[in-house]
């Protein structure tokens, strides 16, 4: 009946070093710029909000960066994560393609986010930091940092986008269960939040606003650092455990993927799976297509401009060269809250500019259709974000069927959907809309991109 | 930092046979009785609602019953499940005790229930059955059977206790995502449901009522069978994979447990972990204490009568000799919906009468206190039901501390609490009450136990 096959690694195969794509890129990554001076960032610019170990990782071009033993020990709570050949799904699609997925939903918070949350909490504790501030949209990142904070005795304060704070009380409850404090953003606790509320008391908030609040708190309190769950180089670096394990597991299965697929919001689960495969391609010439999938309603890679932009709304963050819809862009409502960011990881954007990766945008109804089919064949209900990768994997498998040739597909199932059942209810009841972004508003947002003399 | 240790078995160590405690009991289990005649049940009495393979398992005294290969193949989606030494929790308690837990929340539905749901769906499909009806309280069982039905192409109809149907829409959404139909019980679809609604249009429903509806539908439709998620012998049998794996994993860890602990509602996760250890005790004289933990508000083992009783409210089921609070008993509100049943598995009750197991009752606030401590140390948020086992395990560890002697504790973490965050929110906000059952109502319910000539 079921012959879906799970490939498991023993615990001693948890990677001992993270993989850094920067070492293998044919052209260096454009540097981050100081938001005031427009000059390349130095370590001192970031020291008020990050520990020095993470700042060093952010700019490192070393290929391998050792994973500290206490971090590996905590990884053992759920790693190595399974890689599964989805034979039941293959049969349901009647495709000659081989479909593999790497499953990151086995972590305590239910997604890939703890891979970096644990590392960030560790380095901050080593630096003597007792408090971390952060932002969260749908809550995957906030609950992961709350989990990591509880393990290392760090107080975690999470600014949660207000509309999600109200709509997703259970994610908030998860953060509080782990001992974190969760605050609806915009809040009255920060100047950034008060400014937004003064202009619009009913603001539903946004990731960009919440980042501003969390950065402000960290910048102004010497005992508090800031943690970001995606976008930055060190975050993608920590996520490389996904791809490093997957390479070994694909070897166990006896296949090299023709195509590697992941959804992309800020880019971290995508980088985590794809970059180690890209490294093999760059170093050893092993051919592989790499596909980032994003929501059609927030099409950063497929419709954004590659330019220097701020990571937040209040323009407190450094300027990063990335694909961006502009920091004032507000996407229409859709359920994959983790994919609602205006920008993209600079390293992912750079790889796209170098022609190393493909990108495609999909609407949410076809994604949930794919998620439902996947759940009924493989048993796991994908997170709304992850359904984007499932959709693209199914489309690749259907293309192989039309072609009548096998194709080996690997995608990242970055998390489970147990906290997102409202989205499935809406889909099942036919209430989900496939809304597009407002072209005029996007153009207005892009018009406001900062003018950088250096460019 | 973290040195909690996970003991993993390779997939080929998924048990090849279930273990049946009936083979090793010093006295035979009293038989089930026909609800009309009061005579011992024959296979023909059960044939309208169960496939013959399950009826045979229900009365088998064979020690080992082979697990069909298609069932083992589906088990591989999540089994063998991890056994973890909770060293972080040990440290937090500063106890000399060794605390181990077996984690069943790794299944696609998030609990131990798929262990039997998959087996039941398999045997029904082998018997040519296309539809299954069942009941569910909080939704753990309903979503597990929905999952199993989706794998075997069986239509699943779930009667869900109305108060949970309204309060837990996300569990319902999970069943629908797996393709099942979910109906609020009492419903107008059955004579049992209509009778309840006629007497009380606002009835919140109960597990006993939902069982009546599901059994009625199966009894009256030749193409439909009934599936029960706990209580029956064949259900406990299927759950024995938990304990069989745990015995191997404890050997890997180098310890034999002094005490084995699980929560008990209908008794299936308790039987699943404990019976294989009890078998070792009975056959090989290996000493082990076995503790069932139940809610103080529904204290079946600690306050119920050991007598023949019906499994449902409308008295459609066979009579089973068990610890019972009477089929008309309604417990006060509390969050562990899976522990709200008036009866107890006959095999668990029988073992209790034989002096093989202990039982204790606990209030919900101390359970959630234990669940929160566990989540912050080990990362996993326990289901409300499972917090009962966590509480008892912590109490054993604290007793070892007072005694100043090591003690090896093993408990079943039967599921995660991601669908139960409302309960944690209530606990965190101080809103949870420790309500006791109504003594007068309990006595009235016990007075109505059926009078059986055979006794």
């Amino acid at each position: 009946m079921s012959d879906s096959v799970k490939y498991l690694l023993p615990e001693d195969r948890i990677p001992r070093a993270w993989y850094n794509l920067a070492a293998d890129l044919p052209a260096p990554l454009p540097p981050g710029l100081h938001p005031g001076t427009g000059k390349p960032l130095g370590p001192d610019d970031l020291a008020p909000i990050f520990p020095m170990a993470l700042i060093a990782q952010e700019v490192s071009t070393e290929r391998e960066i050792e994973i500290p033993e206490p971090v590996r020990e905590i990884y053992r709570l759920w790693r190595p994560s399974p890689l599964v050949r989805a034979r039941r799904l293959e049969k349901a699609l009647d495709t000659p393609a081989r479909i593999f997925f790497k499953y990151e939903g086995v972590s305590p918070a239910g997604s890939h986010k703890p891979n970096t949350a644990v590392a960030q909490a560790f380095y901050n504790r080593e630096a003597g930091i007792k408090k971390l501030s952060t932002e969260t949209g749908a809550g995957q990142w906030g609950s992961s940092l709350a989990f990591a904070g509880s393990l290392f005795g760090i107080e975690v304060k999470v600014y949660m986008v207000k509309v999600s704070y109200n709509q997703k009380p259970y994610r908030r409850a998860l953060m509080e269960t782990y001992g974190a404090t969760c605050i609806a953003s915009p809040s009255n606790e920060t100047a950034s939040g008060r400014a937004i509320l003064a202009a619009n008391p009913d603001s539903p908030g946004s990731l960009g606003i919440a980042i501003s609040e969390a950065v402000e708190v960290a910048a102004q309190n010497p005992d508090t650092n800031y943690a970001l769950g995606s976008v930055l180089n060190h975050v993608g670096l920590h996520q490389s455990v996904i791809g490093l394990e997957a390479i070994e597991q694909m070897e166990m299965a006896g296949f090299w993927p023709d195509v590697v697929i992941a959804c992309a919001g800020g880019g971290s689960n995508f980088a985590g799976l794809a970059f180690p495969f890209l490294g093999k391609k760059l170093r050893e010439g092993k051919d592989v297509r790499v596909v980032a999938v994003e929501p059609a309603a927030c099409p950063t890679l497929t419709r954004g401009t590659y330019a220097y932009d701020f990571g937040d709304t209040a323009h407190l963050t450094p300027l990063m060269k990335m694909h961006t819809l502009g920091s004032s862009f507000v996407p229409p409502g859709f359920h994959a809250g983790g994919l609602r960011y205006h920008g993209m990881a600079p390293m992912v954007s750079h790889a796209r500019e170098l022609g190393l990766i493909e990108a495609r945008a999909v609407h949410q109804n076809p994604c949930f259709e794919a998620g439902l089919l996947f759940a009924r064949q493989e048993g796991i209900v994908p997170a709304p974000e992850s359904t984007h990768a499932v959709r693209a994997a199914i489309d690749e498998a259907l293309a192989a069927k039309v072609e009548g040739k096998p194709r080996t597909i690997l995608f990242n199932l970055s998390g489970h959907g147990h906290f997102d059942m409202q989205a499935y209810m809406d889909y099942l009841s036919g209430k989900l809309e496939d809304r597009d972004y407002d072209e005029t508003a996007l153009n207005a947002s892009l018009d406001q991109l900062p003018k950088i003399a250096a460019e």
Side-chain angles (χ1 to χ4, degrees), chain A:
Chain A
M1 183 70 196
S2 159
D3 49 4
S4 288
V5 185
K6 203 167 62 182
Y7 296 92
L8 290 175
L9 294 172
E11 289 193 356
D12 61 7
R13 299 307 304 157
I14 294 172
R16 294 181 186 277
W18 291 298
Y19 167 71
N20 184 6
L21 180 65
D24 292 318
L25 284 174
L29 187 70
L33 304 181
H34 190 284
T37 66
K39 302 266 184 254
L41 282 178
D44 291 349
D45 295 323
L46 296 172
I49 61 168
F50 291 121
M52 210 42 83
L54 292 177
I55 294 170
Q57 290 179 3
E58 191 61 23
V59 297
S60 171
T61 54
E62 293 292 312
R63 183 171 291 120
E64 296 200 332
I65 294 178
E66 189 185 345
I67 305 178
E69 203 47 41
V71 173
R72 283 187 84 236
E73 282 195 4
I74 291 180
Y75 279 173
R76 291 169 66 186
L77 291 177
W78 72 96
R79 303 209 73 83
S81 68
L83 181 127
V84 180
R85 176 156 177 195
R87 283 225 165 137
R88 295 182 53 92
L89 180 62
E90 292 172 15
K91 271 189 216 159
L93 296 170
D94 188 25
T95 172
R98 294 173 281 264
I99 307 176
F100 292 85
F101 65 91
K102 178 76 169 162
Y103 184 39
E104 290 293 310
V106 292
S107 81
S111 79
H112 65 293
K113 294 285 185 188
N115 294 331
T116 184
V118 168
Q120 293 189 48
F122 167 77
Y123 288 117
N124 275 289
R125 196 205 52 170
E126 290 295 285
I129 287 293
K130 301 270 186 267
K131 296 183 187 177
L132 282 172
S133 69
T134 196
E135 71 293 325
T136 201
Q140 289 274 20
W141 168 244
S143 53
S144 298
L145 193 68
F147 156 69
S150 78
L151 298 182
F152 286 104
I154 293 179
E155 266 181 55
V156 174
K157 183 179 270 193
V158 183
Y159 290 87
M160 184 171 188
V161 177
K162 191 178 278 174
V163 59
S164 297
Y165 182 94
N166 292 324
Q167 279 176 358
K168 299 193 179 238
Y170 297 158
R171 272 276 170 208
R172 175 159 49 99
L174 184 57
M175 295 180 229
E176 290 169 357
T177 296
Y178 286 132
T181 307
C182 188
I183 295 153
S185 166
S187 77
N188 273 311
E189 295 201 353
T190 65
S192 320
R194 287 188 295 269
I196 297 284
L197 289 173
N200 177 10
D202 297 326
S203 165
S206 74
L207 218 41
I209 295 169
I211 293 175
S212 297
E213 293 206 274
V215 168
E216 182 185 322
V217 165
Q220 296 186 347
N221 293 283
D223 66 343
T224 304
N225 264 352
Y226 169 72
L228 186 63
S230 192
V231 181
L232 298 178
N233 298 338
H234 67 268
V235 179
L237 175 79
H238 301 154
Q239 294 295 354
S240 67
V241 290
I242 303 172
L244 291 168
E245 288 177 6
I247 285 173
E248 280 206 47
Q249 288 164 310
M250 290 301 296
E251 280 168 10
M252 285 169 73
F255 294 100
W256 174 257
D258 296 302
V259 56
V260 170
I261 298 167
C263 65
S268 78
N269 99 79
F270 171 79
L273 178 67
F275 283 5
F277 284 92
L278 268 188
K280 283 261 193 192
K281 180 177 185 168
L282 291 165
R283 289 194 311 281
E284 303 171 20
K286 296 191 82 146
D287 199 29
V288 62
R289 288 169 49 225
V290 171
V291 180
V293 193
E294 60 185 12
C298 192
T300 317
L301 283 168
T302 53
R303 178 63 182 82
T305 299
Y306 184 58
Y308 273 101
D309 196 9
F310 294 99
D312 71 329
T313 305
H315 297 179
L316 301 177
T317 72
L319 290 158
M320 293 172 295
K321 192 147 186 191
M322 59 183 178
H323 289 87
T324 178
L325 301 165
S327 62
S328 61
F329 177 76
V330 178
F334 60 90
H335 274 291
L339 306 181
R340 292 178 63 81
Y341 189 57
H342 70 275
M344 179 56 63
M347 191 87 85
V348 172
S349 296
H350 184 54
R352 171 96 170 110
E353 286 301 301
L354 292 171
L356 295 170
I357 67 174
E358 304 168 27
R360 67 184 68 157
V362 287
H363 281 105
Q364 65 178 350
N365 270 301
C367 289
F368 280 102
E369 181 196 17
L372 211 70
L373 176 63
F374 183 84
R376 291 178 186 182
Q377 293 304 321
E378 301 294 330
I380 302 166
V381 180
E385 293 81 3
S386 313
T387 63
H388 289 69
V390 179
R391 176 75 262 167
I394 289 177
D395 289 344
E396 289 282 340
L398 294 175
K401 183 177 173 179
V402 170
E403 219 179 272
K405 283 204 283 194
R407 181 182 305 196
T408 300
I409 300 160
L410 167 63
F411 74 92
N412 203 5
L413 191 67
S414 54
H416 68 61
H418 288 178
F419 285 96
D420 308 283
M421 295 312 298
Q422 185 65 48
Y424 281 90
M425 290 175 73
D426 291 351
Y427 173 73
L428 286 163
S429 63
K431 278 193 216 149
L432 271 197
E433 286 179 72
D434 284 336
R435 293 169 67 188
D436 276 304
Y437 60 88
D438 182 322
E439 189 73 31
T440 311
L442 172 57
N443 287 328
S445 174
L446 290 171
D447 281 346
Q448 291 167 41
L449 285 175
K451 309 289 177 262
I452 306 297
E455 282 189 289

